[in-house]
Amino acid sequence: MAIAIITGASSGIGEEFARQLHLLEGIDEFWFVARRRDRMEALRDRLGVNAKIITADLTTGEGIDVVRNTLAEEKPEVKYLVNAAGFGNFGTFEELPEDEVVKMIDLNVKALVLITHITIPYMINGGRIIELGSGSCFTPLPAFNIYASSKSFVLHYTKALNYEIKKHGLRATCFCPGWVETEFLGKATAREGVTAPKSMKPLLSCETVVKKCVRAARRGRAMCVTNWFTKVQHVMFKLLPDCILSRAWLGMLNKKI
């Protein structure tokens, strides 16, 4: 029985991956992993899928162990792993509380790596891993530093992992969208007075970008950049020094640094 594991399945991009993968053939069961059980149960009921609900806070060792122990007990045949759990807050080092910094690193980096490593032994030939990167991973971004840096790690990690797992018949894809219309943006800018962009455009449809990523992952691509604006960012990163790109970003912020 082939399964798809999706972290961060309670909302946004994770929820949309569940919808898109549900349209594919060959997935017998989903494992939804997140903190909000009620949201995951509602998603299961809306899609009408066979789904195991795993309530876990992946910023903690206990949360990781919940997934680890479930894998060991069930010994599933994993066809897709989607690490969509993650969060980011705007703000300079003076504006971000230490606990938020730690949680961003723990969820965006540590949890992603650990969930990937404990799942790979259960993946079947032809399996696909999708790691949630970001359009922010290409450029140093003051006032979005921790999040962007964590996603830069994800990009390099996924590209290297893709080489390591080919011999097992597996492929890994780093998903790099731009600004996507989800609750992420509202939470990232929720605190008043922090340094943040004046505008976040173009704002992309969650359905559109996830659909493109699923297609890219099935083709075995190591990276999926989903729209023209983010593709331009990626090209500019290769051509221009970081200082020029970072200065352009500084001009988009709501206050000077």
Side-chain angles (χ1 to χ4, degrees), residues 17-152:
F17 267 109
R19 291 195 188 97
Q20 297 294 334
L21 292 179
H22 172 51
L23 300 175
L24 303 180
E25 295 182 358
I27 300 176
D28 303 301
E29 182 179 80
F30 286 85
W31 287 14
F32 297 153
V33 185
R35 292 176 302 163
R36 295 176 289 188
R37 187 175 188 86
D38 58 333
R39 293 274 195 103
M40 293 187 285
E41 290 175 342
L43 175 61
R44 176 197 61 197
D45 295 343
R46 282 198 304 275
L47 295 180
V49 297
N50 182 22
K52 180 182 290 293
I53 306 301
I54 301 174
T55 306
D57 180 354
L58 298 182
T59 64
T60 68
E62 293 79 6
I64 301 292
D65 284 341
V66 169
V67 180
R68 188 196 310 274
N69 295 337
T70 306
L71 284 166
E73 290 169 8
E74 299 285 337
K75 295 181 174 53
E77 295 183 337
V78 182
K79 188 169 185 177
Y80 285 92
L81 169 64
V82 180
N83 271 309
F87 84 100
N89 285 337
F90 290 101
T92 64
F93 79 95
E94 303 146 305
E95 297 167 340
L96 284 175
E98 184 177 304
D99 64 324
E100 287 186 11
V101 171
V102 172
K103 283 183 178 179
M104 269 189 274
I105 296 170
D106 282 349
L107 187 56
N108 298 354
V109 175
K110 184 178 177 181
L112 179 143
V113 171
L114 290 178
I115 293 295
T116 300
H117 282 215
I118 64 178
T119 303
I120 285 175
Y122 300 95
M123 297 195 74
I124 60 177
N125 185 52
R128 294 293 184 262
I129 299 169
I130 298 173
E131 311 284 28
L132 183 56
S134 169
S136 67
C137 69
F138 305 127
T139 310
L141 298 179
F144 206 31
N145 185 14
I146 304 301
Y147 179 81
S149 297
S150 73
K151 294 306 182 180
S152 182

Side-chain angles (χ1 to χ4, degrees), residues 2-16:
I3 74 165
I5 300 175
I6 304 174
T7 71
S10 61
S11 65
I13 286 176
E15 183 177 335
E16 187 58 38

Side-chain angles (χ1 to χ4, degrees), residues 184-246:
F184 172 93
L185 295 181
K187 289 181 177 179
T189 57
R191 202 165 58 251
E192 293 184 5
V194 299
T195 308
K198 301 170 192 172
S199 172
M200 286 174 277
K201 293 181 180 179
L203 196 57
L204 306 170
S205 157
C206 192
E207 179 183 357
T208 300
V209 296
V210 169
K211 186 181 296 184
K212 289 181 179 179
C213 181
V214 170
R215 190 182 305 125
R218 297 185 74 190
R219 292 173 179 171
R221 294 182 180 174
M223 182 173 68
C224 174
V225 182
T226 58
N227 63 95
W228 68 268
F229 184 80
T230 312
K231 287 178 180 178
V232 168
Q233 272 187 303
H234 185 218
V235 172
M236 297 296 278
F237 170 75
K238 292 181 176 181
L239 298 177
L240 297 176
D242 289 344
C243 59
I244 294 177
L245 298 169
S246 294

